[in-house]
Amino acid sequence: MKKTFRNKQIEIIRRHVGESGYLAEEFKLYAKLRAEDSWKNARIIALTISTGIEIDTKPLISLAWADKKKVVVPKTFPGRKMEFFEIVPESEYELTSFGLLEPKDETKFVSGDQIDLIVVPGVAFTLEGQRLGYGGGFYDRYLSGYRGNTIALADSSRLYERPEWGEDKFDIAVQKVLKP
């Protein structure tokens, strides 16, 4: 059920990204995130390096640096393991088999107990925090042991009243979902 819903949802998102008004939604989400106490109080923020079907995180990375915050991004490892590494403007990246950009430098590891806020990606969310990810389970595994703040950004194409994709016992909800 999740896989079928995910595939349909990705097509909905692709269409939505090309619609007028999409950028305005993104800018509203950026402003709302920066107004959150969890952002303001964070020293280290975890973000992804977005792909074409995700909320664009490149402006958020720049905003975090402008706000004097450290930015960490995920890197995946065998066994569906994920860890976060600090990036700086000069960082170099490599393309993974999943089509994601990850930092090449593994010397700047940051443990979960140091990360103040994780902005969690996904293809669908409810305002209560239920989330449909991309199907690898990386974030659910990571978040199961994470004790800091979590937040997600959901444009109008990603927001649902209830989790129509179905839930599994291992799904980890985010603490807050922002909408435009």
Side-chain angles (χ1 to χ4, degrees):
M1 179 168 177
K2 278 187 174 183
K3 185 176 183 178
T4 302
F5 186 91
R6 183 180 294 110
N7 291 338
K8 288 179 184 175
Q9 180 63 17
I10 287 171
E11 287 307 311
I12 290 169
I13 292 168
R14 282 194 175 118
R15 284 192 304 274
H16 183 66
V17 167
E19 292 174 354
S20 67
Y22 176 73
L23 286 177
E25 284 190 36
E26 279 194 332
F27 289 131
K28 284 179 186 174
L29 288 169
Y30 300 154
K32 284 186 172 189
L33 178 60
R34 284 185 86 196
E36 287 289 318
D37 286 341
S38 58
W39 175 280
K40 290 177 187 176
N41 298 328
R43 295 177 333 276
I44 300 176
I45 296 177
L47 292 157
T48 59
I49 299 174
S50 56
T51 64
I53 63 165
E54 294 176 300
I55 303 286
D56 189 1
T57 59
K58 292 163 198 72
L60 288 174
I61 291 169
S62 295
L63 289 169
W65 286 333
D67 290 345
K68 306 290 187 232
K69 298 174 185 310
K70 286 186 181 181
V71 175
V72 296
V73 297
K75 187 171 178 72
T76 56
F77 297 94
R80 297 190 184 255
K81 187 176 179 189
M82 178 177 80
E83 297 292 349
F84 286 89
F85 294 84
E86 183 181 357
I87 59 168
V88 294
E90 301 79 29
S91 291
E92 294 183 12
Y93 305 92
E94 57 193 357
L95 193 63
T96 70
S97 60
F98 298 113
L100 304 172
L101 287 176
E102 293 184 348
K104 282 185 178 181
D105 186 358
E106 291 185 23
T107 62
K108 296 183 178 185
F109 168 76
V110 177
S111 65
D113 61 346
Q114 296 175 294
I115 299 170
D116 301 304
L117 173 64
I118 297 178
V119 180
V120 182
V123 296
F125 300 93
T126 67
L127 285 176
E128 288 74 38
Q130 292 103 334
R131 166 187 169 272
L132 177 65
Y134 292 90
F138 289 94
Y139 271 87
D140 287 318
R141 283 180 183 82
Y142 193 88
L143 293 176
S144 69
Y146 176 70
R147 300 293 167 243
N149 294 309
T150 59
I151 203 162
L153 307 177
D155 61 36
S156 59
S157 71
R158 295 169 213 272
L159 199 57
Y160 288 82
E161 286 187 28
R162 61 188 189 322
E164 296 178 20
W165 51 88
E167 292 185 275
D168 293 316
K169 63 180 179 192
F170 53 81
D171 289 343
I172 305 293
V174 293
Q175 295 164 346
K176 189 167 196 176
V177 176
L178 299 180
K179 65 179 185 171

